[in-house]
Amino acid sequence: MITRYYDLKTQYNEGLNAGAEAIASGQLVIFPTETVYGIGADSENLEAVRNIYIVKGRPSNNPLIVHIADFSDVDRIAMDIPDKARKMMDAFWPGPFTIVLKSRGVLSREIAGGLDTLAIRMPSNEYARELIKRSGKMIVAPSANISGRPSATSARVCMEDFEGKVPVILDGGESRIGLESTVCSFTGEHPVLLRPGGITLEMLRSIEPSTSVSRAVLTQIAPGERPESPGMLYKHYSPRAAVKVVRGEEDKVENKIKSLYHEELGKGFRPVIYCPSFNASRYEGLSVRETGEDLNETAHNLFEMLREADREGVDLVLFEGVREDGLGLAISNRIFRAAGFDIIDA
Ligand code: TXA
Ligand code: MG
C-alpha cells in the first residue's frame, strides 16, 4: 500500500477532503489532535474498526474512543447521562477530555472491546474537528502507534510506525499537549478518573468534588485483577530501552541516579538521564537530556524523547520523578508505565 501524506499547513482542503473521503469509504486515516495523533475509522463500519486493531496489533478487548464534533452526537450513542457528566462536557469540551458513558447500543460493542459502555471525546484541534465534519461520521480512533509503543506526537513518528500500512496520513504539526486525553468514567455513582491527562484531577474536582482516582493510575494492576479501564492492563509507552524512575528528595534522587548510571556504564551499557532543565547541571559530564522547563514542556516532549532513546541506541533511561499533582499526575502515570513500575524511592 502506498501512503498518501498531506501537510495540512499547505494542503488544507486537499488533505482534509482526501482524509474525509477515505474515512467515509471505510479506510483508515492518521490525523492530528491536540493530545496525540490518532488512527481513525468510521464508527459505523465494523470492518474498518477491526482493521484498526489489526494494523496497531492491539488486543481486541482494549476499547476505542469515539471522536465527535457535535454535542448532539452524545445523546445519539450514549444513555442515562448523569448531570455531572453534562457539566464536565460543558466545561472541558472541545478539548483533551474523554467521558465513559453507558452505550445506547447504536454503535457496535466491538468498538468498546465488548463492554456496554462507550468512551467519547470532542477534540479541540481544528484539523481533527474539520475531518470529523467533512467525513460526516463519528470517528473511532486510538493513538496512532504500534500497540505498546510510545504514542505519536508528530506525523513523522506516525510514518515510522505506519508508512505503507495506512492509506492517508494528515500532518498537522506537533501535538500541542503531547499526552493522551483525560479519561473519566460516569458509569457509577461518582466520576472516576481512569487516565490522567491535560484536564487535571484538580480541574475535574473543581466541577465535581466527589471525583475519585482509579488505583491503576499510579500503581500496577495485579495479574488477574479486573481494571476499570482495560487499557490499564497492557504494557504501555515502552521504548526498547529499559526505563527506571527515581523519586524522592532532590539530593537523594541525584545520588541514586548517579550510582545507577555508573553501575550501568560499568556493565558496558549506555545509560541516559532525563530530568527537567533546571536540574541538568547536577549531572554535568554524564549523558543527560532536558525534558523541559516545566510540566507543560515535559508533557509535550515526553513521548518523542522516549522514541529518541531508541533511535540513539540507549539501553537505560533514568528518569527523575516529577510531582504527582496537576499535569504531573499524567506525566507520572506515563513514565511509571513506561518503566513497567520500576520505581525507586531514593
Ligand atoms: O487523546 C486521546 O485520547 C487519543 C486521541 C487520538 O484522541 N486517543 C487515545 O486512544 O489515547 P487509546 O485507544 O490509545 O486510549 C483509549 C483509552 C484506553 O486506555 C482504553 O482502555 C480507555 O481509553 N477506554 C476506551 N473505552 C473505554 C470504556 N468503554 N471503558 C473504560 N475505558 C475505556
Ligand atoms: Mg494508546
Side-chain angles (χ1 to χ4, degrees), residues 31-39 56 58 61-67 96-101 111-113 115-121 123 141-145 151 179-183 185 187 194-195 228-232 234 236-237 334:
F31 64 100
T33 86
E34 71 278 19
T35 57
V36 298
Y37 274 70
I39 175 167
K56 275 197 63 148
R58 182 180 176 104
N61 62 348
N62 192 359
L64 305 173
I65 296 172
V66 183
H67 294 68
F97 181 60
T98 298
I99 48 172
V100 176
L101 295 168
I111 290 172
L115 299 173
D116 58 6
T117 54
L118 263 187
I120 309 170
R121 163 160 124 82
S143 51
N145 51 281
S151 301
L179 299 179
E180 305 87 342
S181 62
T182 300
V183 179
S185 172
T187 55
L194 300 181
R195 179 177 73 181
E228 292 135 312
S229 169
M232 292 175 175
Y234 301 105
H236 253 90
Y237 317 117
R334 304 311 191 276

Side-chain angles (χ1 to χ4, degrees), residues 303-314:
F303 287 140
E304 177 54 25
M305 289 185 72
L306 289 175
R307 287 191 178 244
E308 188 57 26
D310 283 344
R311 291 187 206 111
E312 287 184 52
V314 166

Side-chain angles (χ1 to χ4, degrees), residues 311-333:
R311 291 187 206 111
E312 287 184 52
V314 166
D315 298 301
L316 174 65
V317 177
L318 291 164
F319 257 106
E320 278 194 356
V322 303
R323 50 191 297 172
E324 290 167 13
D325 61 349
L327 193 54
L329 183 64
I331 296 169
S332 298
N333 168 269

Side-chain angles (χ1 to χ4, degrees), residues 10 24 63 68 90 104 129 250 254 263 265 297 341 343:
T10 53
I68 61 172
D90 285 341
R104 198 174 265 286
R129 292 170 63 78
E250 280 198 324
E254 176 187 337
E263 206 176 284
L265 266 189
E297 285 188 20
F341 290 91
I343 304 162

